[in-house]
Amino acid sequence: MTATLTLFTRCFLTCAFVLLSACTSKVNEGETTEDSAGGKAGCVGLGCAVCDLPWGGQLPSGQSVNTGFAKELVECSESCDSFKAVLTCKEGKLEGKLASGAVLTDLSKVAKSCFKKHCDCNHNGTLVEDGKERAFFRSASVSCPNTCTDSRVLVCVSGSMQDKLQPATKAHADNYKAANCNAIPCSNCNLPSGDAVAHGPTTNVTVYSTRNVSCTESCASKSNIIRCNNGVFSIADPNTFRFNSCAPPANCAPCALPCGKSILPGAQDYCFKAAKPTACGLTCLPERKLFKCNAASQATDAAGVAITSADRAAYTNFSCSEKAACTGCNVPGVGQVADGTRVPFYKTTAVECGKSCLTAANQVVLTCSNGEFTNKALYPDFRFGTCKTDCTGTSVGDRGEGRIVGEGGGAPNSVCGLPWKSGLVTHNTQIVAFSRSTVAVGDKCSNHKALITCNGYKGLWSGGGVYIYPTCIEPK
């Protein structure tokens, strides 16, 4: 009996274990049960469990999602793709791995979306938004003649500036840090008058020694060319040319003087009462009067008073000759010469070949003074106005007039007449002469003065026949 009971008990336990094992297997797989009416009542077992997702919602057991991220906000240097996660629901338990295979231990931090930080750039104090660009300069200021052209366009990429066109050139971001550039302008030059000359080292600028010229002058004659380079003139001393502009008078109509002369505004000239002094020995100075032409083309006297009818009636002569009041002199063999003329006189009319007419024993120079030669009584033997050397030509050269024979032959035997026709001088004589007898206001006689030399062989003066006056007068 006891043995039978024990066997039964063992059989029951075995059967119960088999039935329980079958039931547990169904629960783990998940089994759908039916209600009393034959409809589905639900799922029973671990296989029917679901998992709660970190961002909300549920994930059925056995399924996976790859829309999660291990970090919701990554650094500028990081990528969201590096934190992409795969979540899987296993028997009600949520598991997670990164795309790289690393297991996630804290699924509560897994987010449905991922964002990258907005990483702006602070480039030498200038804020540039991430992804934005702007130009930066090498220098914050440049001096003349440089300009603000040395620049680069830099882009902010995740908090780091880089060259837009050459990203690999790292030095550009370090060398171009000035957000703005100020080009210091070049300085103009100031003339002594206060006038300005614009900067332009290759530009010619005309400057003038005067701001206004008379009708008888031109601005071109008062000009010079200079340049200005950043406040410095191209000429060392600009004091002579003080002005940057010059203009002629608005009116240059001439004035008619009583003697018929026509002068321009700003000019002056003399008219005379008579063509000669009342007597020999007197000058023309008492006979003359100075007249001017003003800016309105009105003739005035030296004091600026308008010409009177009395002036017009009195000063009618264009010029006055002091010598015209004196009588000229007659030179034997030459003819009449004007008063004041210096004339050589000779003891003989000819000398033998090899000798000169111009020796001190044979020649003397006398001056005509109102019809008579001064000191003529002291030289009674000097009666002839001409003298020549009696030479003839030979086969060895010219031995004719103007040359003598002997040691060092070829010496001149000719003279030069003074340019103003008042006497003769010997070969190589030097005299001071002028090309003008008077000069305009502001001019100097010294500008028209020369030392000329007599060429006895030709009887000509150096200077080309321009210097023909013995004196020159500068107006007061």
Side-chain angles (χ1 to χ4, degrees):
M1 178 68 178
T2 300
T4 302
L5 180 60
T6 299
L7 179 63
F8 173 80
T9 300
R10 288 179 178 176
C11 179
F12 174 78
L13 290 175
T14 300
C15 292
F17 177 76
V18 172
L19 290 175
L20 181 59
S21 296
C23 178
T24 300
S25 176
K26 293 292 183 178
V27 170
N28 287 342
E29 293 177 0
E31 180 180 2
T32 301
T33 61
E34 295 180 356
D35 56 17
S36 56
K40 293 181 178 181
C43 183
V44 177
L46 294 178
C48 297
V50 295
C51 299
D52 292 327
L53 295 173
W55 53 82
Q58 294 180 327
L59 178 67
S61 181
Q63 295 188 13
S64 299
V65 293
N66 60 355
T67 58
F69 297 89
K71 288 180 71 173
E72 187 175 18
L73 185 65
V74 299
E75 300 297 327
C76 297
S77 58
E78 297 175 328
S79 171
C80 282
D81 290 340
S82 300
F83 296 92
K84 199 166 186 179
V86 177
L87 300 182
T88 304
C89 183
K90 289 186 178 181
E91 298 179 354
K93 183 179 180 181
L94 191 64
E95 297 178 353
K97 292 183 179 180
L98 292 177
S100 63
V103 177
L104 298 175
T105 58
D106 187 359
L107 298 182
S108 64
K109 295 181 179 180
V110 176
K112 188 175 184 181
S113 56
C114 175
F115 301 93
K116 193 173 185 180
K117 286 185 178 180
H118 194 65
C119 302
D120 296 335
C121 298
N122 186 339
H123 194 57
N124 197 34
T126 300
L127 186 64
V128 181
E129 294 183 16
D130 190 15
K132 300 288 184 163
E133 65 183 48
R134 70 162 295 164
F136 283 87
F137 299 88
R138 184 182 289 273
S139 300
S141 65
V142 293
S143 300
C144 170
N146 298 315
T147 58
C148 291
T149 55
D150 191 3
S151 65
R152 293 280 177 176
V153 176
L154 304 182
V155 182
C156 178
V157 179
S158 298
S160 176
M161 297 297 290
Q162 63 184 32
D163 193 307
K164 178 181 179 181
L165 300 180
Q166 300 177 19
T169 307
K170 304 297 184 183
H172 285 174
D174 295 332
N175 294 333
Y176 293 85
K177 291 186 176 182
N180 298 288
C181 176
N182 176 38
I184 300 174
C186 298
S187 299
N188 295 331
C189 297
N190 291 319
L191 293 167
S193 63
D195 292 347
V197 175
H199 162 78
T202 61
T203 302
N204 290 333
V205 178
T206 303
V207 291
Y208 304 89
S209 59
T210 181
R211 200 180 295 280
N212 300 102
V213 294
S214 67
C215 292
T216 58
E217 299 173 317
S218 68
C219 285
S221 66
K222 310 291 183 180
S223 67
N224 192 13
I225 300 297
I226 63 174
R227 296 189 180 102
C228 173
N229 185 12
N230 196 22
V232 179
F233 282 113
S234 60
I235 57 176
D237 182 14
N239 288 322
T240 300
F241 299 92
R242 303 166 58 86
F243 308 96
N244 63 7
S245 65
C246 173
N251 172 48
C252 280
C255 295
L257 302 186
C259 58
K261 291 181 179 179
S262 180
I263 61 175
L264 294 173
Q268 59 184 22
D269 207 343
Y270 291 97
C271 287
F272 299 85
K273 285 184 177 181
K276 63 180 180 179
T278 57
C280 182
L282 300 179
T283 69
C284 290
L285 294 179
E287 306 292 326
R288 72 180 186 176
K289 186 171 184 178
L290 183 65
F291 295 98
K292 296 181 177 181
C293 183
N294 63 23
S297 297
Q298 295 174 339
T300 69
D301 63 14
V305 179
I307 296 178
T308 64
S309 57
D311 287 336
R312 295 190 180 279
Y315 295 93
T316 58
N317 286 278
F318 193 89
S319 62
C320 174
S321 173
E322 295 174 353
K323 296 185 180 300
C326 301
T327 303
C329 300
N330 184 59
V331 181
V334 176
Q336 193 78 7
V337 296
D339 177 70
T341 303
R342 289 170 55 84
V343 178
F345 280 83
Y346 304 93
K347 279 187 177 181
T348 61
T349 59
V351 296
E352 64 183 63
C353 188
K355 294 184 178 180
S356 171
C357 287
L358 307 180
T359 62
N362 191 59
Q363 184 202 46
V364 66
V365 177
L366 305 177
T367 302
C368 175
S369 175
N370 196 25
E372 296 183 359
F373 285 100
T374 58
N375 297 328
K376 184 68 170 68
L378 298 177
Y379 305 97
D381 296 334
F382 293 82
R383 298 178 292 113
F384 305 104
T386 61
C387 176
K388 67 177 182 178
T389 300
D390 188 13
C391 292
T392 57
T394 67
S395 60
V396 294
D398 178 18
R399 304 290 181 179
E401 183 176 357
R403 296 179 181 273
I404 61 174
V405 245
E407 290 295 326
N413 191 30
S414 298
V415 294
C416 297
L418 292 173
W420 38 90
K421 311 300 182 186
S422 62
L424 301 173
V425 296
T426 57
H427 175 69
N428 271 341
T429 298
Q430 291 186 316
I431 62 171
V432 174
F434 298 85
S435 60
R436 297 183 183 181
S437 60
T438 60
V439 294
V441 176
D443 199 0
K444 297 287 186 183
C445 284
S446 58
N447 296 331
H448 311 281
K449 178 181 177 181
L451 185 67
I452 59 177
T453 304
C454 169
N455 182 342
Y457 289 105
K458 298 181 180 180
L460 298 177
W461 292 94
S462 62
V466 173
Y467 300 93
I468 59 175
Y469 300 101
T471 58
C472 173
I473 299 174
E474 297 177 2
K476 295 182 180 179

